[in-house]
Amino acid sequence: VVQVSAGGGLVRVAHSLLLTSTGRVLSFGTANNGQLGHGFSAGKQLPDVLRPQYVGELAHLHVTCVSAGELHSAVVTADGDLYTWGDGFCGQIGHSDK
């Protein structure tokens, strides 16, 4: 692991991202807003992830930087592309919707 980013801030809402030396990303913690990158289902409570798991959707990318926000996450790739996911209730993930 070459980088760790801890997110959260609300009571019982926290998650972390890990970056490996090979550019892979793992996440763990509270999953209720899709901030872990392991899926999301509106209206359905997702279980917390207690042990780091690879973020499968990023497996084909070489990630160089990770950042965990309060209810969202972001990574930057070696190509300079930015990927964001989670809850964007205030527009913080750069999508036009949540």
Side-chain angles (χ1 to χ4, degrees):
V1 173
V2 296
Q3 185 187 1
V4 176
S5 182
L10 300 173
V11 176
R12 271 257 328 125
V13 177
H15 71 292
S16 295
L17 299 176
L18 308 175
L19 178 63
T20 70
S21 61
T22 59
R24 298 285 311 271
V25 178
L26 298 98
S27 64
F28 61 101
T30 305
N32 58 331
N33 293 287
Q35 65 267 44
L36 297 182
H38 303 299
F40 175 75
S41 181
K44 180 180 177 187
Q45 181 70 30
L46 297 175
D48 293 348
V49 175
L50 302 180
R51 295 184 186 273
Q53 294 181 5
Y54 284 103
V55 179
E57 293 294 321
L58 302 175
H60 66 287
L61 301 171
H62 184 85
V63 174
T64 58
C65 181
V66 298
S67 182
E70 187 170 352
L71 300 173
H72 62 286
S73 298
V75 301
V76 176
T77 68
D79 293 331
D81 294 325
L82 171 67
Y83 291 83
T84 61
W85 62 91
D87 194 337
F89 65 93
C90 292
Q92 65 267 50
I93 61 175
H95 303 199
S96 60
D97 60 359
K98 290 176 112 181

